[in-house]
Every structure is written in C-alpha cells, then in structure tokens.
Amino acid sequence: MNEVKVKAITGRVVSNKMDKTVSVVVERLVKHPVYGKYVKKSTKFLVHDENNVCNQGDIVTITSCSPISKRKTFKLLEVVEASNK
C-alpha cells in the first residue's frame, strides 16, 4: 500500500484576525549559490484553526491537507509555545 508521509512544519503566527484561520510565517536558511552566505527566506501560509486557539506570536506546528479554500491548504496540529501577550 502507498503510505502518505505527512511533513510537519513549525512557524510563528503573525495574524489571527480571521475566523478559523491564522496566518503563519515559516522561516528557513538558504545558502546563496554564488556568495555562499546563508540568507533567511520566509513563506506565509494560511492555516485552518478549527477552535480559534492561536494568538499572535504563538509558535505552532502545521501540516498540509486537502484544500479548504483557495489559499488555505494547511491545518493546525498543535501550539508548541504560547505567546506572553
């Protein structure tokens, strides 16, 4: 049988102003092909938060899922670290 490997990604919540949706920024280090310096790149994902448990500044783990809307194809797995706000 074909097993689907689910990749979990950790990121920071930057917006929770939508209903059941949070915006999460995932940062990664990429080596520049010519200069060899590591550059910080970021990607913003819209994540489905069914119970509205995330707040701005939280560190969360997300995973991909089937499309929920046009831009929302990730769902919340857990809140790793809650913000102090």
Side-chain angles (χ1 to χ4, degrees), residues 1-62:
M1 292 190 181
N2 293 344
E3 287 188 23
V4 177
K5 292 187 178 184
V6 178
K7 186 174 181 181
I9 305 170
T10 302
R12 182 175 38 89
V13 177
V14 291
S15 173
N16 66 340
K17 296 179 180 179
M18 299 165 274
D19 186 34
K20 296 187 179 183
T21 304
V22 292
S23 182
V24 175
V25 168
V26 176
E27 293 180 338
R28 65 193 189 284
L29 291 176
V30 178
K31 190 173 184 177
H32 192 280
V34 175
Y35 300 115
K37 179 179 179 178
Y38 283 94
V39 181
K40 196 181 288 188
K41 298 272 188 172
S42 63
T43 307
K44 190 183 289 188
F45 297 110
L46 290 184
V47 179
H48 184 65
D49 180 12
E50 182 65 37
N51 300 321
N52 289 322
V53 295
C54 293
N55 292 315
Q56 191 170 355
D58 289 355
I59 306 297
V60 295
T61 303
I62 61 175

Short mmCIF file of all heavy atoms in Angstrom, two decimals, residues 1-62:
data_model
loop_
_atom_site.label_atom_id
_atom_site.label_comp_id
_atom_site.label_asym_id
_atom_site.label_seq_id
_atom_site.Cartn_x
_atom_site.Cartn_y
_atom_site.Cartn_z
N MET A 1 0.83 -1.20 0.00
CA MET A 1 0.00 0.00 0.00
C MET A 1 0.86 1.25 0.00
O MET A 1 1.99 1.23 0.46
CB MET A 1 -0.88 0.02 1.24
CG MET A 1 -1.92 -1.02 1.29
SD MET A 1 -3.00 -0.63 2.66
CE MET A 1 -4.09 -2.00 2.51
N ASN A 2 0.29 2.29 -0.52
CA ASN A 2 1.00 3.57 -0.53
C ASN A 2 0.72 4.32 0.75
O ASN A 2 -0.43 4.61 1.08
CB ASN A 2 0.57 4.42 -1.73
CG ASN A 2 0.99 3.81 -3.03
OD1 ASN A 2 1.85 2.94 -3.04
ND2 ASN A 2 0.42 4.26 -4.12
N GLU A 3 1.80 4.62 1.47
CA GLU A 3 1.65 5.41 2.69
C GLU A 3 1.97 6.86 2.37
O GLU A 3 2.94 7.15 1.68
CB GLU A 3 2.60 4.91 3.77
CG GLU A 3 2.18 3.58 4.37
CD GLU A 3 3.04 3.23 5.56
OE1 GLU A 3 3.62 4.14 6.17
OE2 GLU A 3 3.13 2.04 5.86
N VAL A 4 1.15 7.74 2.87
CA VAL A 4 1.36 9.16 2.67
C VAL A 4 2.18 9.68 3.84
O VAL A 4 1.80 9.54 5.00
CB VAL A 4 0.02 9.93 2.58
CG1 VAL A 4 0.25 11.41 2.44
CG2 VAL A 4 -0.82 9.38 1.45
N LYS A 5 3.33 10.26 3.52
CA LYS A 5 4.17 10.84 4.57
C LYS A 5 3.75 12.28 4.79
O LYS A 5 3.73 13.08 3.87
CB LYS A 5 5.64 10.78 4.17
CG LYS A 5 6.18 9.37 4.12
CD LYS A 5 7.65 9.36 3.91
CE LYS A 5 8.16 7.93 3.91
NZ LYS A 5 9.61 7.87 3.79
N VAL A 6 3.40 12.58 6.02
CA VAL A 6 2.94 13.92 6.37
C VAL A 6 4.12 14.68 6.96
O VAL A 6 4.74 14.23 7.92
CB VAL A 6 1.78 13.86 7.39
CG1 VAL A 6 1.34 15.25 7.78
CG2 VAL A 6 0.63 13.07 6.81
N LYS A 7 4.43 15.83 6.38
CA LYS A 7 5.53 16.64 6.85
C LYS A 7 4.99 17.75 7.74
O LYS A 7 4.09 18.49 7.36
CB LYS A 7 6.26 17.24 5.66
CG LYS A 7 7.50 18.00 6.04
CD LYS A 7 8.26 18.45 4.82
CE LYS A 7 9.52 19.17 5.22
NZ LYS A 7 10.27 19.63 4.05
N ALA A 8 5.52 17.83 8.94
CA ALA A 8 5.11 18.87 9.89
C ALA A 8 6.08 20.04 9.78
O ALA A 8 7.29 19.85 9.68
CB ALA A 8 5.09 18.32 11.30
N ILE A 9 5.54 21.25 9.80
CA ILE A 9 6.33 22.47 9.68
C ILE A 9 6.06 23.33 10.91
O ILE A 9 4.93 23.43 11.38
CB ILE A 9 5.94 23.25 8.41
CG1 ILE A 9 6.07 22.36 7.17
CG2 ILE A 9 6.78 24.50 8.25
CD1 ILE A 9 5.48 22.99 5.93
N THR A 10 7.10 23.95 11.44
CA THR A 10 6.95 24.83 12.59
C THR A 10 7.11 26.28 12.15
O THR A 10 8.02 26.60 11.39
CB THR A 10 8.01 24.49 13.66
OG1 THR A 10 7.86 23.12 14.02
CG2 THR A 10 7.82 25.34 14.90
N GLY A 11 6.21 27.13 12.63
CA GLY A 11 6.25 28.54 12.27
C GLY A 11 5.64 29.41 13.35
O GLY A 11 5.22 28.93 14.40
N ARG A 12 5.59 30.72 13.07
CA ARG A 12 5.09 31.71 14.03
C ARG A 12 3.83 32.36 13.49
O ARG A 12 3.77 32.75 12.32
CB ARG A 12 6.18 32.77 14.26
CG ARG A 12 5.83 33.84 15.26
CD ARG A 12 7.00 34.78 15.51
NE ARG A 12 7.79 35.08 14.32
CZ ARG A 12 7.53 36.10 13.50
NH1 ARG A 12 6.52 36.90 13.74
NH2 ARG A 12 8.29 36.31 12.44
N VAL A 13 2.81 32.49 14.34
CA VAL A 13 1.54 33.11 13.96
C VAL A 13 1.74 34.62 13.89
O VAL A 13 2.22 35.24 14.85
CB VAL A 13 0.43 32.76 14.97
CG1 VAL A 13 -0.86 33.47 14.61
CG2 VAL A 13 0.21 31.26 15.03
N VAL A 14 1.40 35.21 12.73
CA VAL A 14 1.53 36.65 12.57
C VAL A 14 0.18 37.36 12.54
O VAL A 14 0.12 38.57 12.72
CB VAL A 14 2.35 37.02 11.32
CG1 VAL A 14 3.79 36.62 11.49
CG2 VAL A 14 1.77 36.41 10.08
N SER A 15 -0.91 36.62 12.32
CA SER A 15 -2.24 37.23 12.30
C SER A 15 -3.29 36.19 12.66
O SER A 15 -3.24 35.06 12.17
CB SER A 15 -2.54 37.82 10.93
OG SER A 15 -3.87 38.28 10.88
N ASN A 16 -4.23 36.57 13.52
CA ASN A 16 -5.36 35.70 13.85
C ASN A 16 -6.67 36.47 13.75
O ASN A 16 -7.63 36.18 14.45
CB ASN A 16 -5.19 35.09 15.25
CG ASN A 16 -5.26 36.11 16.35
OD1 ASN A 16 -5.06 37.30 16.11
ND2 ASN A 16 -5.52 35.68 17.55
N LYS A 17 -6.74 37.43 12.86
CA LYS A 17 -7.91 38.30 12.74
C LYS A 17 -9.06 37.66 11.98
O LYS A 17 -10.17 38.16 12.00
CB LYS A 17 -7.51 39.61 12.07
CG LYS A 17 -6.54 40.41 12.90
CD LYS A 17 -6.15 41.69 12.23
CE LYS A 17 -5.17 42.45 13.10
NZ LYS A 17 -4.73 43.69 12.47
N MET A 18 -8.80 36.53 11.31
CA MET A 18 -9.85 35.85 10.56
C MET A 18 -10.52 34.79 11.42
O MET A 18 -9.95 34.35 12.42
CB MET A 18 -9.25 35.21 9.30
CG MET A 18 -8.63 36.21 8.35
SD MET A 18 -7.58 35.45 7.12
CE MET A 18 -6.04 35.35 8.01
N ASP A 19 -11.71 34.37 11.04
CA ASP A 19 -12.41 33.33 11.77
C ASP A 19 -11.94 31.96 11.31
O ASP A 19 -12.01 31.65 10.12
CB ASP A 19 -13.92 33.47 11.55
CG ASP A 19 -14.72 32.51 12.40
OD1 ASP A 19 -14.29 32.22 13.53
OD2 ASP A 19 -15.77 32.04 11.93
N LYS A 20 -11.45 31.15 12.24
CA LYS A 20 -10.95 29.79 11.99
C LYS A 20 -9.76 29.75 11.04
O LYS A 20 -9.46 28.72 10.45
CB LYS A 20 -12.07 28.88 11.46
CG LYS A 20 -13.19 28.67 12.45
CD LYS A 20 -14.16 27.64 11.96
CE LYS A 20 -15.24 27.43 12.99
NZ LYS A 20 -16.18 26.40 12.60
N THR A 21 -9.05 30.86 10.90
CA THR A 21 -7.88 30.92 10.04
C THR A 21 -6.81 31.78 10.70
O THR A 21 -7.11 32.82 11.27
CB THR A 21 -8.23 31.54 8.67
OG1 THR A 21 -9.29 30.80 8.09
CG2 THR A 21 -7.04 31.51 7.73
N VAL A 22 -5.56 31.30 10.65
CA VAL A 22 -4.42 32.09 11.12
C VAL A 22 -3.39 32.16 10.01
O VAL A 22 -3.33 31.29 9.14
CB VAL A 22 -3.79 31.51 12.40
CG1 VAL A 22 -4.72 31.63 13.58
CG2 VAL A 22 -3.36 30.08 12.20
N SER A 23 -2.60 33.21 10.04
CA SER A 23 -1.52 33.38 9.08
C SER A 23 -0.22 33.02 9.79
O SER A 23 0.09 33.57 10.85
CB SER A 23 -1.50 34.82 8.59
OG SER A 23 -0.51 34.98 7.63
N VAL A 24 0.56 32.09 9.21
CA VAL A 24 1.77 31.59 9.83
C VAL A 24 2.96 31.84 8.91
O VAL A 24 2.91 31.55 7.72
CB VAL A 24 1.65 30.07 10.12
CG1 VAL A 24 2.95 29.51 10.67
CG2 VAL A 24 0.51 29.80 11.08
N VAL A 25 4.04 32.39 9.49
CA VAL A 25 5.28 32.62 8.74
C VAL A 25 6.28 31.53 9.11
O VAL A 25 6.53 31.27 10.28
CB VAL A 25 5.87 34.01 9.05
CG1 VAL A 25 7.28 34.13 8.52
CG2 VAL A 25 5.01 35.08 8.46
N VAL A 26 6.82 30.88 8.07
CA VAL A 26 7.84 29.85 8.26
C VAL A 26 9.14 30.39 7.67
O VAL A 26 9.18 30.76 6.50
CB VAL A 26 7.44 28.53 7.55
CG1 VAL A 26 8.54 27.51 7.66
CG2 VAL A 26 6.14 28.01 8.13
N GLU A 27 10.18 30.45 8.50
CA GLU A 27 11.48 30.95 8.04
C GLU A 27 12.46 29.80 7.86
O GLU A 27 12.41 28.83 8.60
CB GLU A 27 12.04 31.97 9.04
CG GLU A 27 11.23 33.24 9.11
CD GLU A 27 11.80 34.24 10.08
OE1 GLU A 27 12.54 33.83 11.00
OE2 GLU A 27 11.50 35.43 9.92
N ARG A 28 13.33 29.94 6.86
CA ARG A 28 14.34 28.91 6.61
C ARG A 28 15.61 29.61 6.14
O ARG A 28 15.57 30.73 5.64
CB ARG A 28 13.85 27.91 5.58
CG ARG A 28 13.62 28.48 4.21
CD ARG A 28 12.86 27.54 3.31
NE ARG A 28 12.84 28.02 1.94
CZ ARG A 28 12.09 29.00 1.48
NH1 ARG A 28 11.27 29.65 2.29
NH2 ARG A 28 12.13 29.36 0.21
N LEU A 29 16.76 28.93 6.30
CA LEU A 29 18.04 29.45 5.83
C LEU A 29 18.40 28.79 4.52
O LEU A 29 18.37 27.57 4.40
CB LEU A 29 19.13 29.20 6.87
CG LEU A 29 19.02 30.00 8.16
CD1 LEU A 29 20.11 29.57 9.12
CD2 LEU A 29 19.11 31.48 7.88
N VAL A 30 18.75 29.60 3.52
CA VAL A 30 19.12 29.12 2.20
C VAL A 30 20.50 29.66 1.86
O VAL A 30 20.77 30.85 2.06
CB VAL A 30 18.09 29.58 1.14
CG1 VAL A 30 18.50 29.11 -0.24
CG2 VAL A 30 16.71 29.08 1.49
N LYS A 31 21.36 28.80 1.38
CA LYS A 31 22.71 29.23 1.01
C LYS A 31 22.68 29.89 -0.36
O LYS A 31 22.14 29.33 -1.32
CB LYS A 31 23.65 28.02 0.99
CG LYS A 31 25.09 28.37 0.86
CD LYS A 31 25.96 27.15 1.02
CE LYS A 31 27.42 27.53 0.99
NZ LYS A 31 28.29 26.37 1.21
N HIS A 32 23.26 31.09 -0.46
CA HIS A 32 23.32 31.80 -1.73
C HIS A 32 24.22 31.04 -2.69
O HIS A 32 25.33 30.62 -2.30
CB HIS A 32 23.84 33.23 -1.51
CG HIS A 32 23.67 34.11 -2.70
ND1 HIS A 32 24.53 34.08 -3.76
CD2 HIS A 32 22.72 35.04 -2.99
CE1 HIS A 32 24.13 34.95 -4.67
NE2 HIS A 32 23.04 35.56 -4.23
N PRO A 33 23.78 30.83 -3.94
CA PRO A 33 24.55 29.99 -4.86
C PRO A 33 25.92 30.55 -5.25
O PRO A 33 26.85 29.78 -5.51
CB PRO A 33 23.65 29.88 -6.08
CG PRO A 33 22.69 31.00 -5.99
CD PRO A 33 22.53 31.30 -4.54
N VAL A 34 26.08 31.87 -5.28
CA VAL A 34 27.35 32.46 -5.69
C VAL A 34 28.22 32.84 -4.50
O VAL A 34 29.40 32.49 -4.43
CB VAL A 34 27.10 33.71 -6.58
CG1 VAL A 34 28.41 34.40 -6.91
CG2 VAL A 34 26.38 33.31 -7.84
N TYR A 35 27.63 33.53 -3.53
CA TYR A 35 28.42 34.09 -2.43
C TYR A 35 28.58 33.14 -1.25
O TYR A 35 29.44 33.35 -0.41
CB TYR A 35 27.80 35.41 -1.97
CG TYR A 35 27.76 36.42 -3.08
CD1 TYR A 35 26.56 36.87 -3.59
CD2 TYR A 35 28.93 36.90 -3.65
CE1 TYR A 35 26.51 37.78 -4.62
CE2 TYR A 35 28.91 37.81 -4.70
CZ TYR A 35 27.69 38.24 -5.17
OH TYR A 35 27.66 39.14 -6.20
N GLY A 36 27.74 32.12 -1.16
CA GLY A 36 27.88 31.15 -0.08
C GLY A 36 27.33 31.60 1.26
O GLY A 36 27.39 30.86 2.24
N LYS A 37 26.81 32.82 1.33
CA LYS A 37 26.24 33.34 2.57
C LYS A 37 24.85 32.75 2.78
O LYS A 37 24.10 32.55 1.82
CB LYS A 37 26.16 34.86 2.50
CG LYS A 37 25.57 35.51 3.71
CD LYS A 37 25.55 37.02 3.54
CE LYS A 37 24.93 37.68 4.76
NZ LYS A 37 24.95 39.14 4.65
N TYR A 38 24.49 32.47 4.02
CA TYR A 38 23.15 31.96 4.32
C TYR A 38 22.19 33.14 4.46
O TYR A 38 22.44 34.07 5.21
CB TYR A 38 23.16 31.12 5.60
CG TYR A 38 23.74 29.75 5.35
CD1 TYR A 38 25.09 29.49 5.57
CD2 TYR A 38 22.95 28.72 4.87
CE1 TYR A 38 25.62 28.25 5.33
CE2 TYR A 38 23.48 27.46 4.62
CZ TYR A 38 24.81 27.24 4.85
OH TYR A 38 25.34 26.00 4.59
N VAL A 39 21.10 33.07 3.70
CA VAL A 39 20.10 34.12 3.67
C VAL A 39 18.80 33.58 4.26
O VAL A 39 18.42 32.45 3.99
CB VAL A 39 19.86 34.60 2.22
CG1 VAL A 39 18.85 35.71 2.17
CG2 VAL A 39 21.16 35.00 1.57
N LYS A 40 18.13 34.39 5.06
CA LYS A 40 16.88 33.99 5.68
C LYS A 40 15.72 34.24 4.72
O LYS A 40 15.51 35.37 4.28
CB LYS A 40 16.66 34.76 6.98
CG LYS A 40 15.61 34.16 7.89
CD LYS A 40 15.42 34.97 9.15
CE LYS A 40 16.60 34.81 10.07
NZ LYS A 40 16.36 35.45 11.39
N LYS A 41 14.99 33.20 4.37
CA LYS A 41 13.82 33.30 3.49
C LYS A 41 12.59 32.96 4.32
O LYS A 41 12.65 32.14 5.24
CB LYS A 41 13.91 32.31 2.33
CG LYS A 41 15.08 32.54 1.41
CD LYS A 41 14.71 33.52 0.34
CE LYS A 41 15.83 33.59 -0.69
NZ LYS A 41 15.45 34.36 -1.83
N SER A 42 11.46 33.57 3.97
CA SER A 42 10.23 33.28 4.72
C SER A 42 9.08 33.04 3.75
O SER A 42 9.05 33.58 2.65
CB SER A 42 9.89 34.43 5.65
OG SER A 42 9.65 35.60 4.93
N THR A 43 8.15 32.20 4.20
CA THR A 43 6.95 31.89 3.44
C THR A 43 5.75 32.02 4.37
O THR A 43 5.79 31.58 5.52
CB THR A 43 7.01 30.45 2.89
OG1 THR A 43 8.22 30.28 2.17
CG2 THR A 43 5.84 30.17 1.97
N LYS A 44 4.68 32.64 3.86
CA LYS A 44 3.48 32.83 4.67
C LYS A 44 2.40 31.85 4.22
O LYS A 44 2.10 31.75 3.04
CB LYS A 44 2.97 34.26 4.53
CG LYS A 44 1.88 34.62 5.52
CD LYS A 44 1.36 36.02 5.29
CE LYS A 44 2.38 37.04 5.69
NZ LYS A 44 1.81 38.42 5.65
N PHE A 45 1.84 31.11 5.17
CA PHE A 45 0.78 30.15 4.90
C PHE A 45 -0.50 30.56 5.63
O PHE A 45 -0.43 31.08 6.75
CB PHE A 45 1.16 28.74 5.39
CG PHE A 45 2.36 28.16 4.69
CD1 PHE A 45 3.55 27.99 5.37
CD2 PHE A 45 2.28 27.75 3.38
CE1 PHE A 45 4.65 27.44 4.75
CE2 PHE A 45 3.38 27.20 2.73
CZ PHE A 45 4.57 27.04 3.43
N LEU A 46 -1.65 30.30 5.01
CA LEU A 46 -2.92 30.41 5.71
C LEU A 46 -3.24 29.03 6.27
O LEU A 46 -3.21 28.04 5.54
CB LEU A 46 -4.03 30.89 4.78
CG LEU A 46 -3.94 32.33 4.30
CD1 LEU A 46 -5.16 32.67 3.46
CD2 LEU A 46 -3.84 33.28 5.47
N VAL A 47 -3.54 28.97 7.56
CA VAL A 47 -3.71 27.70 8.26
C VAL A 47 -5.09 27.64 8.89
O VAL A 47 -5.57 28.61 9.48
CB VAL A 47 -2.63 27.55 9.36
CG1 VAL A 47 -2.79 26.25 10.11
CG2 VAL A 47 -1.24 27.65 8.75
N HIS A 48 -5.74 26.48 8.76
CA HIS A 48 -7.06 26.27 9.34
C HIS A 48 -6.93 26.00 10.83
O HIS A 48 -6.26 25.06 11.24
CB HIS A 48 -7.75 25.09 8.64
CG HIS A 48 -9.16 24.87 9.10
ND1 HIS A 48 -10.16 25.79 8.89
CD2 HIS A 48 -9.73 23.83 9.77
CE1 HIS A 48 -11.29 25.32 9.41
NE2 HIS A 48 -11.04 24.15 9.95
N ASP A 49 -7.57 26.83 11.64
CA ASP A 49 -7.58 26.72 13.10
C ASP A 49 -9.02 26.54 13.54
O ASP A 49 -9.73 27.51 13.78
CB ASP A 49 -6.95 27.97 13.71
CG ASP A 49 -6.91 27.96 15.22
OD1 ASP A 49 -7.15 26.90 15.81
OD2 ASP A 49 -6.64 29.03 15.81
N GLU A 50 -9.47 25.32 13.64
CA GLU A 50 -10.88 24.99 13.87
C GLU A 50 -11.45 25.64 15.13
O GLU A 50 -12.57 26.14 15.13
CB GLU A 50 -11.05 23.47 13.94
CG GLU A 50 -12.49 23.02 14.12
CD GLU A 50 -13.39 23.35 12.95
OE1 GLU A 50 -12.93 23.28 11.79
OE2 GLU A 50 -14.57 23.69 13.19
N ASN A 51 -10.69 25.64 16.23
CA ASN A 51 -11.22 26.12 17.51
C ASN A 51 -10.75 27.52 17.89
O ASN A 51 -10.97 27.96 19.02
CB ASN A 51 -10.83 25.14 18.62
CG ASN A 51 -11.39 23.76 18.35
OD1 ASN A 51 -12.51 23.61 17.87
ND2 ASN A 51 -10.60 22.74 18.62
N ASN A 52 -10.10 28.23 16.98
CA ASN A 52 -9.58 29.58 17.25
C ASN A 52 -8.73 29.63 18.52
O ASN A 52 -8.92 30.47 19.38
CB ASN A 52 -10.73 30.59 17.34
CG ASN A 52 -11.37 30.85 16.00
OD1 ASN A 52 -10.72 30.90 14.98
ND2 ASN A 52 -12.68 31.00 16.01
N VAL A 53 -7.76 28.72 18.64
CA VAL A 53 -6.93 28.65 19.83
C VAL A 53 -5.63 29.45 19.70
O VAL A 53 -4.99 29.73 20.70
CB VAL A 53 -6.59 27.19 20.20
CG1 VAL A 53 -7.84 26.43 20.59
CG2 VAL A 53 -5.88 26.49 19.06
N CYS A 54 -5.24 29.82 18.48
CA CYS A 54 -3.96 30.50 18.26
C CYS A 54 -4.08 32.00 18.48
O CYS A 54 -5.09 32.61 18.17
CB CYS A 54 -3.47 30.26 16.84
SG CYS A 54 -3.01 28.57 16.53
N ASN A 55 -3.02 32.56 19.03
CA ASN A 55 -2.90 34.00 19.19
C ASN A 55 -1.65 34.48 18.46
O ASN A 55 -0.76 33.68 18.16
CB ASN A 55 -2.82 34.39 20.67
CG ASN A 55 -4.11 34.12 21.39
OD1 ASN A 55 -5.18 34.45 20.89
ND2 ASN A 55 -4.02 33.51 22.56
N GLN A 56 -1.58 35.77 18.22
CA GLN A 56 -0.43 36.33 17.52
C GLN A 56 0.83 36.11 18.34
O GLN A 56 0.86 36.37 19.54
CB GLN A 56 -0.65 37.82 17.27
CG GLN A 56 0.33 38.43 16.34
CD GLN A 56 -0.06 39.83 15.93
OE1 GLN A 56 -1.13 40.30 16.30
NE2 GLN A 56 0.78 40.50 15.20
N GLY A 57 1.89 35.61 17.70
CA GLY A 57 3.16 35.37 18.38
C GLY A 57 3.36 33.93 18.81
O GLY A 57 4.45 33.57 19.23
N ASP A 58 2.33 33.09 18.72
CA ASP A 58 2.46 31.69 19.10
C ASP A 58 3.36 30.94 18.13
O ASP A 58 3.39 31.24 16.94
CB ASP A 58 1.10 30.99 19.12
CG ASP A 58 0.21 31.43 20.26
OD1 ASP A 58 0.67 32.21 21.11
OD2 ASP A 58 -0.96 31.00 20.29
N ILE A 59 4.09 29.95 18.64
CA ILE A 59 4.85 29.04 17.79
C ILE A 59 3.98 27.80 17.61
O ILE A 59 3.55 27.19 18.58
CB ILE A 59 6.19 28.65 18.44
CG1 ILE A 59 7.00 29.90 18.81
CG2 ILE A 59 7.00 27.73 17.54
CD1 ILE A 59 7.40 30.75 17.64
N VAL A 60 3.69 27.44 16.35
CA VAL A 60 2.76 26.36 16.06
C VAL A 60 3.37 25.35 15.09
O VAL A 60 4.32 25.65 14.37
CB VAL A 60 1.43 26.89 15.47
CG1 VAL A 60 0.70 27.75 16.46
CG2 VAL A 60 1.67 27.65 14.18
N THR A 61 2.82 24.14 15.10
CA THR A 61 3.18 23.11 14.14
C THR A 61 1.99 22.90 13.21
O THR A 61 0.86 22.74 13.67
CB THR A 61 3.52 21.79 14.85
OG1 THR A 61 4.58 22.04 15.77
CG2 THR A 61 3.96 20.73 13.87
N ILE A 62 2.26 22.92 11.89
CA ILE A 62 1.21 22.77 10.90
C ILE A 62 1.54 21.63 9.96
O ILE A 62 2.69 21.18 9.90
CB ILE A 62 1.01 24.08 10.10
CG1 ILE A 62 2.29 24.45 9.33
CG2 ILE A 62 0.58 25.21 11.00
CD1 ILE A 62 2.14 25.66 8.42
#
